[in-house]
Each structure stands twice: as C-alpha cells, then as structure tokens.
Amino acid sequence: MNVGWIGLGKLGAPCALALQHLAGHDVLGYDVRRQDVERLFADPSDHGEEGFGALIELGPLKLAHTIGEVVAHADVVFVAVQTPHAPAYGGETPMPEERRDFEYGYLIQAVRDVCRAAADQAKPITLVVVSTVLPGTCNKHLRGLLNPFVTLVYSPLFIAMGSTLKDFREPEFVLMGADSPESLAPVAAVYAALHDRPVFRASIETAELIKVAYNTFISMKIVWANTMMEICHKTGADCDQLVNALTLATDRVISPAYMRGGMGDGGACHPRDMIAMSWLAERLNLSYDLLGQMAYAREAQSGWLADLTERWAEQTGFDIAILGKAYKPGTALTAGSPALLLAHQLAERGHDVVLWDAPVDSRMDLTEPAVFVVGTKHPANTSLKFPPGTVVLDPFGYMPDQPGVTVIRVGRKS
C-alpha cells in the first residue's frame, strides 16, 4: 500500500521505517525539519532506539519536499507531529499552578496542508492523526479543515521512546477512532501487514480519551506503588513482597506492571498528560480533579525522597549525587525525568547536586564518599564501586551490597 508519514521525529521515523521495511509498504515521509531528518538517517547512532540503525541499513526512507507530494503518493497519510507542552509542564520541575491544554498549532497546520493538497488534487485519502490530544480536540480544531476528499481517523500509538520499534511491532492492541466502521478498513490493512494484534474500534472522541486514559492509568499505578513504598519504609513492611502478593490477584488487580516502588513516572508524555487532563477537569467542572492530584502526588513523593536524602546528607556531612538523568533505563532521553525533578527540588533547598548518567557520561571518579540516590535504574549502576562510608539510597531495590557502604533499599526490608 502507498503510505505517507508526516512527522519524522524520534517516534515517527522508526515507525515509518518499520512500515516500509517490515510491513512492505511504499512509504513517503515528510518533516519540516528535512535537514535534521537527513542527518538522523545518515548517522542513527545517537537516536537511542534499538533496531533503528538496522532498519536504516535496509534502505533509506524516501523524503518528500512538500506535503502535496505525500498526498499525491499515498492512500493513507499518517500525521504524527508533536503536540507539545511548554517546558515548565514537562515533569522535570514542579508544575505551575496554571494548567494548560497541549499546543495544537503544529497539528492543525499539518492537517490543514494535507486537506488543501487533497482538495487541489481531487485525491481521496484517509488521514490518520497519531498525535496525542485531549478528547474533543478533533471536533474542535480539525473537523472544520476536512473536505469531501479526506476521511479522518484518530489512531494514536502506545509507544515509548527507547522502545519505539518493539512497541510499534508488538502492541497490546491497535486503537482506531472514526465516524464510521468503514473508514477504518484502509488503516487496518496498513497494520495487518505489520502484525496480527487486535483492533479496538471506537468513536473519535472515545479514542482520544482512551489514549490519555491509558497513559495516566500507568501514572496512577506508579503513584500508588510509590505510596506503598513510603508506607513500607515508615512501617518496616516490604514493598516488593507486597507487589509479589498482589501479582497473584489477577482477577481484580490486573497487571503487576508499573507497580514496583521506585522513582516517579517520567517521559515526554505521562507527566504532561496528567497536567493536561487536570486542565480538562477544570474546563469540564469535574466533581474531583483526580489527575491533578496525581500530578501533585508525583511531586510530593519526589519531595519525600529529597527529605530522606537531606537527612542522610546532614547526618554524614557528605555531598549529594544522583545516579541517572534519563527518564528510564536504556535511553539517554531526559524528558519528564523524575531524577531531574529530584535534583531540582534538592537545588531549591540549597544543595549543590551532582548528576551522573551511566550511558552518557564518562566514568565517574568515585574517590570521596557521598550520599548517592539512584535516579534511573541503569544496569551499569550495579557495577559501580563506592568509597567506604558512602550511603546509597535505592528506590528500586536492586543495588548490591558493598563492604563499608550503606545501601538503603527504600521501602524494603533487605
């Protein structure tokens, strides 16, 4: 099938290549930052996605100079441009009091250009919006841009930076929202060539909500897990044993994923999605803003870790260092990083905090004892040799014992 893909960032580029090389579609890509995309394809080493370089070696992605070229080529056009928040809403720092929706300017412009090109060419296409939006966005901002040549489908992806290709090739399900079931057939055919995962069909408004509900449900599980970790730390219970027991309750508790104590939720989507949903709660005058409270809980739990770190720093007289900047292991990406949030909170309290990230930074010179906090669960952290007297605060409970080193596995008995 002839496919167009608009938006070739860190998520879009691997997906477009997967459709070309793994599904066998004829894909034509477009991005307003064409030079950046060309550089990325020429040197994919810093992209951070497992398997991305191997796909590049199979052959480059064809790039269009205009959206009109994409429309002329494709039967199905995916739009995967960013819907960003301002940096203050990313989760690396405490969130502002004012809530905001996502910024839809890039998405609106891309959809407008696609629709104009389809009308100019009298070319029927299926337009698939991939970008994350709040419910009601397509009706409010995009539907008025459509014309008789364009059929709108909302089909967001459940993928994460660092594991994009795996998530794209092996999704739990494919979500598609449209005005009529018949509209979904071309999109289903695109995905059917890539995998055999089930398709969940819904209205556009419902699909919009499912996407952000999925993301924020994960955030809720992490907030809950870290609440249990704090209770365990203060009562002598063990949060890993707690989760091990709950994993047996598959009829009621669902999956144990994201239920282990650790750092707060992170990434380019999850913290900002909670804030955007809090904005929606205000607009809809909901009876209770659960999502906003979850965002506050994420920050408060990080603040409690800052309290714990401070107490050990005061007790020992040592400096503070955080092991990790990335928002999760296996990537160097720092968007929404809970490690950076913790560093910000400690800096606000007057501490000069050193951050060190195993996959990115040169080897740390561990000559003096300090209070180390594990901010990212990088496997490489377990091989570090700390000076005697060092204190290691480990929210994940995976750091090994070392002679002369105090390892505190937060919320665990051992």
Side-chain angles (χ1 to χ4, degrees):
M1 183 177 291
N2 292 337
V3 174
W5 194 283
I6 297 172
L8 297 170
K10 289 184 176 294
L11 299 179
C15 294
L17 277 171
L19 290 181
Q20 175 173 291
H21 293 306
L22 304 180
H25 298 301
D26 187 354
V27 182
L28 180 62
Y30 173 81
D31 196 291
V32 293
R33 302 161 300 177
R34 182 186 175 95
Q35 290 183 336
D36 292 343
V37 175
E38 290 175 338
R39 281 195 295 268
L40 174 64
F41 288 157
D43 180 17
S45 58
D46 65 344
H47 191 274
E49 292 290 344
E50 184 178 354
F52 183 66
L55 285 182
I56 293 286
E57 292 177 1
L58 294 176
L61 184 73
K62 293 182 296 183
L63 298 178
H65 290 87
T66 67
I67 286 180
E69 293 177 24
V70 175
V71 171
H73 167 83
D75 302 306
V76 179
V77 177
F78 290 83
V79 175
V81 301
Q82 61 177 319
T83 50
H85 251 149
Y89 295 85
E92 301 96 3
T93 59
M95 64 179 179
E97 287 295 326
E98 179 192 3
R99 305 289 189 269
R100 290 188 187 177
D101 192 0
F102 303 128
E103 170 54 53
Y104 298 118
Y106 299 110
L107 176 60
I108 292 170
Q109 186 60 54
V111 171
R112 179 183 289 117
D113 290 346
V114 169
C115 293
R116 284 176 176 170
D120 291 344
Q121 300 173 27
K123 172 73 182 297
I125 60 165
T126 298
L127 169 64
V128 184
V129 173
V130 176
S131 312
T132 299
V133 302
L134 288 185
T137 299
C138 287
N139 277 340
K140 180 179 180 181
H141 294 295
L142 306 183
R143 194 171 292 279
L145 305 174
L146 304 179
N147 56 59
F149 299 99
V150 179
T151 300
L152 177 65
V153 172
Y154 182 66
S155 183
L157 302 174
F158 300 98
I159 57 180
M161 291 184 292
S163 58
T164 298
L165 281 170
K166 182 180 185 301
D167 297 340
F168 188 55
R169 294 181 64 185
E170 304 171 10
E172 297 164 292
F173 66 99
V174 175
L175 175 62
M176 297 185 195
D179 293 335
S180 66
E182 297 79 15
S183 304
L184 302 177
V187 189
V190 171
Y191 285 124
L194 185 65
H195 53 64
D196 61 356
R197 305 306 295 155
V199 174
F200 187 88
R201 298 168 174 83
S203 68
I204 288 178
E205 297 86 351
T206 303
E208 290 171 323
L209 181 55
I210 289 171
K211 167 60 177 176
V212 288
Y214 182 104
N215 285 356
T216 53
F217 193 86
I218 290 174
S219 300
M220 181 177 66
K221 292 180 75 173
I222 294 173
V223 166
W224 177 89
N226 288 340
T227 299
M228 294 301 107
M229 181 177 70
E230 184 175 349
I231 291 173
C232 288
H233 193 79
K234 293 178 176 179
T235 62
D238 188 297
C239 64
D240 285 342
Q241 289 185 1
L242 181 151
V243 173
N244 290 343
L246 293 180
T247 59
L248 303 176
T250 54
D251 291 341
R252 296 182 179 178
V253 180
I254 320 178
S255 162
Y258 301 101
M259 284 172 55
R260 299 281 173 185
M263 296 294 286
D265 200 5
C269 297
H270 291 194
R272 76 181 194 121
D273 285 3
M274 286 191 290
I275 297 172
M277 288 289 277
S278 179
W279 173 87
L280 183 64
E282 292 180 352
R283 292 292 299 268
L284 298 178
N285 193 28
L286 291 190
S287 56
Y288 187 75
D289 180 12
L290 175 64
L291 283 304
Q293 293 306 309
M294 282 167 46
Y296 279 126
R298 173 183 180 269
E299 293 179 10
Q301 288 166 347
S302 180
W304 174 71
L305 282 175
D307 294 340
L308 194 61
T309 304
E310 272 194 314
R311 286 198 294 270
W312 279 98
E314 291 168 1
Q315 181 176 327
T316 60
F318 295 160
D319 292 334
I320 297 171
I322 296 177
L323 299 175
K325 306 173 193 174
Y327 83 94
K328 70 174 184 179
T331 179
L333 301 171
T334 60
S337 168
L340 295 185
L341 174 62
L342 177 62
H344 181 90
Q345 291 170 324
L346 288 167
E348 283 190 327
R349 303 180 188 193
H351 296 282
D352 186 11
V353 180
V354 175
L355 287 116
W356 181 81
D357 202 89
V360 177
D361 300 324
S362 58
R363 186 164 183 83
M364 178 180 279
D365 185 14
L366 300 176
T367 58
E368 298 294 331
V371 175
F372 289 91
V373 185
V374 181
T376 309
K377 193 180 178 182
H378 291 307
N381 290 336
T382 62
S383 63
L384 295 173
K385 301 301 180 184
F386 299 99
T390 290
V391 175
V392 178
L393 294 173
D394 176 16
F396 302 100
Y398 80 122
M399 293 291 284
D401 290 325
Q402 287 187 33
V405 175
T406 301
V407 179
I408 301 166
R409 299 176 186 93
V410 181
R412 281 97 175 163
K413 281 195 167 184
S414 60

